[in-house]
Amino acid sequence: MRATRRFTLRVNGASHEVTGEAQTPLLFFLRNDLALNSPKFGCGLGECGACTVLVEGQAARACALPVRLVAEREIVTLEGLGSVEAPHPIQQAFIDAQAAQCGYCIAGMVMTAKAFLDAQPNPSEAEVREALRHNLCRCGTHVEIVKAVMLAAERGRQDAAAS
C-alpha cells in the first residue's frame, strides 16, 4: 500500500496544500486539484511538451515530474504569465503571429519559449528551432510558432534598448 502525504505547491505565486502519493505526476495536481488547465496531458512520458511548466524558471514536463521533487519550489503555468487583459509579451507575440491553431500544444510552447528567451534573449532562428524541437504540434504550426518566438525576442531587445 502506498502512503499519501501532504505537499505544499507554490504555483503562480500562491501556496497550495495537496495530498497524494509522492510519485504522482505534478500535472495531475495542477489540473485536478488546482483547476489549472493550460498544461495538457499529451503523451504522459515527457516527450511531447504539452504539459510544460516552469519550475524555478526552467522548463519542465509536468506529466513526468513527481510531485515530491517540486514541493516548495516555484512553479509557473501559462495562467501565471499573464491574463487576457494583460498578456505577457511572449503570449502577445504568439497572438500577433497567429501561432495557435487547435491550441493544445501552445501553452507548452509558450512556457518552453519563455524559459529559452530568459536564458537566450538574442537567439538565431536555428537556436529557436533547436530549443523547441522536443515540443510537438500536431497541427503543423511550427513555422508560426518560430515566428512568434523570434517576434518576442525582437520586442524584448527593443524594450531593453528603450530603457
mmCIF file of all heavy atoms in Angstrom, residues 9-16 30 36 38 54 74-81 111:
data_model
loop_
_atom_site.group_PDB
_atom_site.id
_atom_site.type_symbol
_atom_site.label_atom_id
_atom_site.label_comp_id
_atom_site.label_asym_id
_atom_site.label_seq_id
_atom_site.Cartn_x
_atom_site.Cartn_y
_atom_site.Cartn_z
ATOM 1 N N LEU A 9 2.578 23.147 -2.730
ATOM 2 C CA LEU A 9 2.972 23.557 -4.068
ATOM 3 C C LEU A 9 2.855 25.067 -4.155
ATOM 4 O O LEU A 9 1.831 25.642 -3.793
ATOM 5 C CB LEU A 9 2.076 22.911 -5.126
ATOM 6 C CG LEU A 9 2.123 21.396 -5.229
ATOM 7 C CD1 LEU A 9 1.137 20.910 -6.289
ATOM 8 C CD2 LEU A 9 3.522 20.918 -5.530
ATOM 9 N N ARG A 10 3.914 25.708 -4.615
ATOM 10 C CA ARG A 10 3.916 27.155 -4.846
ATOM 11 C C ARG A 10 3.705 27.365 -6.344
ATOM 12 O O ARG A 10 4.626 27.203 -7.131
ATOM 13 C CB ARG A 10 5.218 27.772 -4.371
ATOM 14 C CG ARG A 10 5.361 27.708 -2.866
ATOM 15 C CD ARG A 10 6.643 28.287 -2.315
ATOM 16 N NE ARG A 10 7.393 29.119 -3.228
ATOM 17 C CZ ARG A 10 8.726 29.150 -3.281
ATOM 18 N NH1 ARG A 10 9.440 28.399 -2.479
ATOM 19 N NH2 ARG A 10 9.346 29.942 -4.130
ATOM 20 N N VAL A 11 2.474 27.686 -6.697
ATOM 21 C CA VAL A 11 2.099 27.788 -8.109
ATOM 22 C C VAL A 11 1.574 29.188 -8.404
ATOM 23 O O VAL A 11 0.656 29.664 -7.740
ATOM 24 C CB VAL A 11 1.036 26.734 -8.473
ATOM 25 C CG1 VAL A 11 0.675 26.823 -9.956
ATOM 26 C CG2 VAL A 11 1.508 25.331 -8.122
ATOM 27 N N ASN A 12 2.178 29.813 -9.389
ATOM 28 C CA ASN A 12 1.755 31.140 -9.850
ATOM 29 C C ASN A 12 1.670 32.136 -8.705
ATOM 30 O O ASN A 12 0.754 32.955 -8.632
ATOM 31 C CB ASN A 12 0.432 31.044 -10.611
ATOM 32 C CG ASN A 12 0.538 30.179 -11.841
ATOM 33 O OD1 ASN A 12 1.607 30.040 -12.423
ATOM 34 N ND2 ASN A 12 -0.562 29.570 -12.229
ATOM 35 N N GLY A 13 2.612 32.034 -7.782
ATOM 36 C CA GLY A 13 2.702 32.984 -6.687
ATOM 37 C C GLY A 13 1.861 32.680 -5.462
ATOM 38 O O GLY A 13 1.881 33.439 -4.504
ATOM 39 N N ALA A 14 1.136 31.584 -5.472
ATOM 40 C CA ALA A 14 0.303 31.212 -4.321
ATOM 41 C C ALA A 14 0.690 29.826 -3.819
ATOM 42 O O ALA A 14 1.112 28.969 -4.606
ATOM 43 C CB ALA A 14 -1.171 31.232 -4.707
ATOM 44 N N SER A 15 0.539 29.604 -2.530
ATOM 45 C CA SER A 15 0.822 28.287 -1.944
ATOM 46 C C SER A 15 -0.461 27.477 -1.854
ATOM 47 O O SER A 15 -1.520 28.012 -1.509
ATOM 48 C CB SER A 15 1.416 28.441 -0.541
ATOM 49 O OG SER A 15 2.718 28.945 -0.626
ATOM 50 N N HIS A 16 -0.338 26.188 -2.168
ATOM 51 C CA HIS A 16 -1.479 25.273 -2.144
ATOM 52 C C HIS A 16 -1.055 23.989 -1.446
ATOM 53 O O HIS A 16 0.013 23.445 -1.736
ATOM 54 C CB HIS A 16 -1.927 24.922 -3.569
ATOM 55 C CG HIS A 16 -2.233 26.105 -4.414
ATOM 56 N ND1 HIS A 16 -3.468 26.710 -4.424
ATOM 57 C CD2 HIS A 16 -1.452 26.813 -5.273
ATOM 58 C CE1 HIS A 16 -3.433 27.730 -5.267
ATOM 59 N NE2 HIS A 16 -2.233 27.810 -5.794
ATOM 60 N N LEU A 30 -1.901 19.846 -10.756
ATOM 61 C CA LEU A 30 -2.191 21.132 -11.399
ATOM 62 C C LEU A 30 -3.591 21.135 -12.004
ATOM 63 O O LEU A 30 -4.365 22.074 -11.802
ATOM 64 C CB LEU A 30 -1.152 21.452 -12.476
ATOM 65 C CG LEU A 30 0.270 21.691 -11.992
ATOM 66 C CD1 LEU A 30 1.214 21.863 -13.185
ATOM 67 C CD2 LEU A 30 0.347 22.887 -11.057
ATOM 68 N N LEU A 36 -5.970 24.170 -13.012
ATOM 69 C CA LEU A 36 -5.171 24.905 -13.991
ATOM 70 C C LEU A 36 -5.132 24.050 -15.249
ATOM 71 O O LEU A 36 -4.549 22.975 -15.270
ATOM 72 C CB LEU A 36 -3.766 25.158 -13.441
ATOM 73 C CG LEU A 36 -3.740 26.061 -12.206
ATOM 74 C CD1 LEU A 36 -2.362 26.050 -11.570
ATOM 75 C CD2 LEU A 36 -4.169 27.473 -12.568
ATOM 76 N N SER A 38 -4.048 24.912 -18.437
ATOM 77 C CA SER A 38 -3.120 25.168 -19.536
ATOM 78 C C SER A 38 -2.162 24.003 -19.776
ATOM 79 O O SER A 38 -1.960 23.615 -20.925
ATOM 80 C CB SER A 38 -2.351 26.467 -19.330
ATOM 81 O OG SER A 38 -1.483 26.391 -18.229
ATOM 82 N N LEU A 54 7.061 25.979 -15.851
ATOM 83 C CA LEU A 54 8.363 26.432 -15.374
ATOM 84 C C LEU A 54 8.510 26.044 -13.915
ATOM 85 O O LEU A 54 7.601 26.277 -13.121
ATOM 86 C CB LEU A 54 8.506 27.945 -15.519
ATOM 87 C CG LEU A 54 8.348 28.518 -16.921
ATOM 88 C CD1 LEU A 54 8.542 30.028 -16.900
ATOM 89 C CD2 LEU A 54 9.303 27.865 -17.896
ATOM 90 N N GLU A 74 9.136 27.051 -6.788
ATOM 91 C CA GLU A 74 8.251 27.962 -7.514
ATOM 92 C C GLU A 74 7.897 27.373 -8.878
ATOM 93 O O GLU A 74 8.775 27.095 -9.695
ATOM 94 C CB GLU A 74 8.916 29.331 -7.692
ATOM 95 C CG GLU A 74 7.982 30.380 -8.247
ATOM 96 C CD GLU A 74 6.761 30.632 -7.365
ATOM 97 O OE1 GLU A 74 6.892 30.653 -6.120
ATOM 98 O OE2 GLU A 74 5.667 30.794 -7.937
ATOM 99 N N ILE A 75 6.599 27.206 -9.108
ATOM 100 C CA ILE A 75 6.068 26.640 -10.347
ATOM 101 C C ILE A 75 5.220 27.709 -11.022
ATOM 102 O O ILE A 75 4.437 28.390 -10.360
ATOM 103 C CB ILE A 75 5.200 25.397 -10.041
ATOM 104 C CG1 ILE A 75 6.029 24.336 -9.328
ATOM 105 C CG2 ILE A 75 4.558 24.860 -11.322
ATOM 106 C CD1 ILE A 75 5.195 23.288 -8.614
ATOM 107 N N VAL A 76 5.392 27.860 -12.325
ATOM 108 C CA VAL A 76 4.586 28.816 -13.081
ATOM 109 C C VAL A 76 3.958 28.086 -14.262
ATOM 110 O O VAL A 76 4.639 27.382 -15.009
ATOM 111 C CB VAL A 76 5.424 30.017 -13.591
ATOM 112 C CG1 VAL A 76 4.569 30.976 -14.406
ATOM 113 C CG2 VAL A 76 6.080 30.742 -12.424
ATOM 114 N N THR A 77 2.653 28.264 -14.403
ATOM 115 C CA THR A 77 1.926 27.749 -15.560
ATOM 116 C C THR A 77 1.580 28.932 -16.457
ATOM 117 O O THR A 77 1.796 30.096 -16.090
ATOM 118 C CB THR A 77 0.620 27.037 -15.144
ATOM 119 O OG1 THR A 77 -0.280 28.012 -14.603
ATOM 120 C CG2 THR A 77 0.885 25.926 -14.127
ATOM 121 N N LEU A 78 1.003 28.668 -17.602
ATOM 122 C CA LEU A 78 0.613 29.740 -18.514
ATOM 123 C C LEU A 78 -0.297 30.746 -17.819
ATOM 124 O O LEU A 78 -0.187 31.949 -18.044
ATOM 125 C CB LEU A 78 -0.090 29.152 -19.746
ATOM 126 C CG LEU A 78 -0.393 30.148 -20.854
ATOM 127 C CD1 LEU A 78 0.889 30.583 -21.541
ATOM 128 C CD2 LEU A 78 -1.349 29.540 -21.845
ATOM 129 N N GLU A 79 -1.167 30.269 -16.928
ATOM 130 C CA GLU A 79 -2.075 31.157 -16.210
ATOM 131 C C GLU A 79 -1.315 32.172 -15.349
ATOM 132 O O GLU A 79 -1.837 33.245 -15.055
ATOM 133 C CB GLU A 79 -3.021 30.349 -15.302
ATOM 134 C CG GLU A 79 -4.026 29.492 -16.030
ATOM 135 C CD GLU A 79 -3.547 28.079 -16.340
ATOM 136 O OE1 GLU A 79 -2.320 27.815 -16.218
ATOM 137 O OE2 GLU A 79 -4.378 27.237 -16.701
ATOM 138 N N GLY A 80 -0.094 31.829 -14.962
ATOM 139 C CA GLY A 80 0.709 32.710 -14.126
ATOM 140 C C GLY A 80 1.536 33.726 -14.895
ATOM 141 O O GLY A 80 2.148 34.610 -14.294
ATOM 142 N N LEU A 81 1.589 33.613 -16.211
ATOM 143 C CA LEU A 81 2.368 34.567 -17.013
ATOM 144 C C LEU A 81 1.631 35.875 -17.220
ATOM 145 O O LEU A 81 2.185 36.950 -17.060
ATOM 146 C CB LEU A 81 2.716 33.983 -18.382
ATOM 147 C CG LEU A 81 3.848 32.990 -18.464
ATOM 148 C CD1 LEU A 81 4.150 32.670 -19.918
ATOM 149 C CD2 LEU A 81 5.084 33.480 -17.748
ATOM 150 N N MET A 111 5.612 28.235 -22.689
ATOM 151 C CA MET A 111 6.419 28.067 -21.481
ATOM 152 C C MET A 111 7.855 27.671 -21.834
ATOM 153 O O MET A 111 8.806 28.162 -21.224
ATOM 154 C CB MET A 111 5.778 27.050 -20.537
ATOM 155 C CG MET A 111 4.376 27.436 -20.075
ATOM 156 S SD MET A 111 4.216 29.110 -19.430
ATOM 157 C CE MET A 111 4.997 28.936 -17.845
#
